[in-house]
Amino acid sequence: MKKNYLSFVKSLAAITLVSFLMEGQTVSAQRVDVGLEKDYTVPSWTKLKAALSQLTPSTQPYSINMTLNGDPKTQIGFSWYTNTTDVKGKVQLIAKVSAMEADFTGSTTLNLEANIQNVTTNYVSSNNKEVTAATGIKVGETRSYTSHKVLASGLLPNTTYSYRLGNENAWSEIGTFTTAKTTKDAFSFIYITDTQANTADMFDISQKTVHAAKKLVPDARFVLCNGDFVESSGSSNSEWEWEQWFGTMQDIWMKYPIVAIQGNHDTSANNNFSKHFNTDNTYNQRTTGAKTAMDGTVYSFVYGDALFMSINYEDWKATDYFASLKAWMREQVAAHPEVKWRIATYHKNMFTGSGSHQSDADAKAVRAAMLPVFDELKIDLALQGHDHVYEVIGPVKNTTQTLLTDAVEHIEIVGESGARENMTGKQGGVFNVNEGTLYFLNNSAGKKKYEPRDEAAMVKAYPNHGVENYWGLFSGKFGQTGEATFSKITLSTDTIAISTYTVDGNGKETLFDSFKVIKENKTSAVKSEKLTQVKIYSSSADQKVIVEGMIPEKVEIFSSNGQLVLTAQTNEVNISSLTPGMYLVKAGARKDVYYSKVMIEK
């Protein structure tokens, strides 16, 4: 892969140092003026020549990507960077599967001129120590670029196009893409999140993950990247990290459009995310309510039989921001009554079992504001990021934050609960989202991982997260392997099939979990009646906790700090040994589990 950051190194000596670094050898910080071959050792001169051969002309495009922007049947967005220039780049398109350079000179070639914007941004952060040590580039130094963007419209549906971009002085390699069909045929896409790298080793993990996904799903129509592309954010952001993200996977982005979702680590003073991706900015241009701080981070598109809504929760503290998001979501759903599936994709979790973020204030605020509209608009599937664990949650009845137990079928029990790799001991399943939303996170595509909480920890954290039966929402597999992951999602009118794979250090993928999402009106009236009859309460006079409406196999009572204090196998539990206070009672029989808070008084 070309190391684009090399083109910014001001001296050949610095380039040589970077070459040594990438070879893993010790280097000296001493400046070496370039002279003749006789002045250097044979291996160091060889490395210098190799570094020089990798240099790219200043007119060459880099950080190239395509994005879904508007109607994917007829439109696609292009974006790329060059060194600073006032020459507008262009995209050349031809409706041909395997075009050659000569094909772009014909009369059927579509030539589209770019809109350009000059960009000056921080180049490295304090996280990029290997780069600063090798090059002498200091934290706080800036580099300047020109961002080029083209929106190609009026394209033919279900057509494969070849393209190149740049200008007559320097064209990119030839890429391809295929527009969406006008029909609702099944299609597949790749879902990744949190590549979040800041070193060469970390970028190597994420690129192996995405290349494994490309190999397994060669017919993917797009790659949905659910935020935290890079690590460094805020005022100390790093353009070097963005260069590595694009550069280490540039072959993929020449052929697969990106659905780019903003993460908290993508939020920066220099707006790197918005400068790099050419996504639909209609929300910021037209909304009368609160806008996002970064353009093109709230947008929607229809693909096949699904409406996808990209939501940005990063501006959750802004006045009236949630009201603006709700109004926008209602508009998108109203504009597309013809689709079966409604999919929300965003970075920060609405529900999660991660010990790092389950009790975050922003998650609590997002749930309070957005769950009612998720229920109103009948959002079927929520694809999440941020928490770096694997979790299948729901379907959740959003108005009550409870599990729709009758909507979960064919779960496979594969072990005892509590293991790090699988906290629930479950896998697979069929989830009916007719009356609720399935919340899904497939861990992360990079190195960084978080730890899952067990049931006791979730009970203990109740005062912070405010979800009464959080553990009970985890209906499928939930855990942490420590490996990078990606998901293949195949969507048809009948089902959404999701298979998630771990990727090892050699880039080898292994199936981790697979399940299906359906939407059918098959609620059991008998089951619903049974649910309404189950009651759990305390009787101070009898010094008992009483479970009515079922014969429990086990009753567990937890203190307010999440500690298990009493276990019984009866529907009338003697609580005379317990001190007064608030407790959580869990009663279970087979696959039916019920929770209730009770106050014990003397």
Side-chain angles (χ1 to χ4, degrees), residues 68-121:
L68 295 191
N69 184 330
D71 185 353
K73 296 187 295 294
T74 60
Q75 292 190 174
I76 196 165
F78 295 91
S79 182
W80 68 97
Y81 271 20
T82 63
N83 287 8
T84 304
T85 181
D86 57 1
V87 177
K88 294 182 178 181
K90 60 184 177 181
V91 173
Q92 292 187 318
L93 292 162
I94 184 168
K96 189 172 183 178
V97 175
S98 300
M100 308 294 286
E101 287 187 14
D103 293 318
F104 291 98
T105 60
S107 59
T108 58
T109 302
L110 181 64
N111 290 275
L112 302 172
E113 189 175 71
N115 294 315
I116 62 174
Q117 179 183 12
N118 289 332
V119 176
T120 298
T121 182

Side-chain angles (χ1 to χ4, degrees), residues 89-328:
K90 60 184 177 181
V91 173
Q92 292 187 318
L93 292 162
I94 184 168
K96 189 172 183 178
V97 175
S98 300
M100 308 294 286
E101 287 187 14
D103 293 318
F104 291 98
T105 60
S107 59
T108 58
T109 302
L110 181 64
N111 290 275
L112 302 172
E113 189 175 71
N115 294 315
I116 62 174
Q117 179 183 12
N118 289 332
V119 176
T120 298
T121 182
N122 291 348
Y123 191 62
V124 293
S125 76
S126 58
N127 294 318
N128 311 138
K129 292 182 174 60
E130 61 181 351
V131 181
T132 56
T135 65
I137 298 174
K138 295 181 173 57
V139 174
E141 285 190 38
T142 62
R143 293 293 184 271
S144 295
Y145 307 83
T146 297
S147 169
H148 303 250
K149 292 185 179 183
V150 169
L151 178 60
S153 58
L155 304 177
L156 299 174
N158 194 29
T159 301
T160 298
Y161 287 86
S162 293
Y163 73 92
R164 64 179 183 176
L165 49 80
N167 56 49
E168 284 73 12
N169 294 322
W171 291 109
S172 70
E173 294 181 359
I174 297 172
T176 60
F177 66 92
T178 302
T179 51
K181 297 180 179 181
T182 57
T183 58
K184 297 182 178 181
D185 293 2
F187 69 95
S188 297
F189 66 94
I190 295 165
Y191 155 46
I192 63 170
T193 188
D194 295 83
T195 47
Q196 200 171 338
N198 57 31
T199 68
D201 287 344
M202 293 175 75
F203 279 109
D204 186 54
I205 292 172
S206 56
Q207 69 85 11
K208 284 178 180 174
T209 306
V210 182
H211 278 96
K214 171 193 172 186
K215 181 180 178 181
L216 186 76
V217 199
D219 60 342
R221 290 306 184 101
F222 53 85
V223 181
L224 190 150
C225 305
N226 222 354
D228 281 5
F229 292 75
V230 297
E231 170 68 22
S232 301
S233 61
S235 60
S236 61
N237 55 93
S238 166
E239 183 58 28
W240 178 83
E241 292 176 15
W242 285 98
E243 289 177 356
Q244 300 315 294
W245 194 90
F246 288 110
T248 57
M249 298 178 275
Q250 189 62 82
D251 59 317
I252 295 175
W253 310 134
M254 296 301 294
K255 295 183 178 180
Y256 295 86
I258 299 171
V259 175
I261 315 299
Q262 182 193 354
N264 55 299
H265 282 267
D266 307 321
T267 305
S268 67
N270 295 128
N271 287 353
N272 309 65
F273 179 97
S274 294
K275 303 293 174 50
H276 275 298
F277 295 118
N278 187 5
T279 49
D280 182 11
N281 193 33
T282 304
Y283 174 82
N284 261 26
Q285 292 171 342
R286 297 183 184 177
T287 184
T288 57
K291 305 177 189 298
T292 67
M294 292 177 69
D295 290 347
T297 56
V298 175
Y299 60 93
S300 72
F301 61 92
V302 170
Y303 212 110
D305 209 3
L307 169 65
F308 291 79
M309 288 178 280
S310 165
I311 302 172
N312 174 9
Y313 287 144
E314 298 309 310
D315 298 303
W316 65 280
K317 287 186 177 181
T319 304
D320 296 329
Y321 184 63
F322 284 132
S324 178
L325 275 182
K326 292 178 187 179
W328 174 81

Side-chain angles (χ1 to χ4, degrees), residues 422-441:
N422 192 350
M423 299 293 289
T424 60
K426 303 174 182 177
Q427 69 179 22
V430 177
F431 303 88
N432 187 355
V433 296
N434 192 58
E435 297 179 4
T437 305
L438 188 74
Y439 294 86
F440 176 55
L441 170 61

Side-chain angles (χ1 to χ4, degrees), residues 321-346:
Y321 184 63
F322 284 132
S324 178
L325 275 182
K326 292 178 187 179
W328 174 81
M329 289 180 69
R330 292 185 181 107
E331 289 173 2
Q332 308 318 301
V333 170
H336 299 288
E338 77 283 2
V339 299
K340 177 175 181 177
W341 303 102
R342 296 168 184 173
I343 299 174
T345 179
Y346 50 85

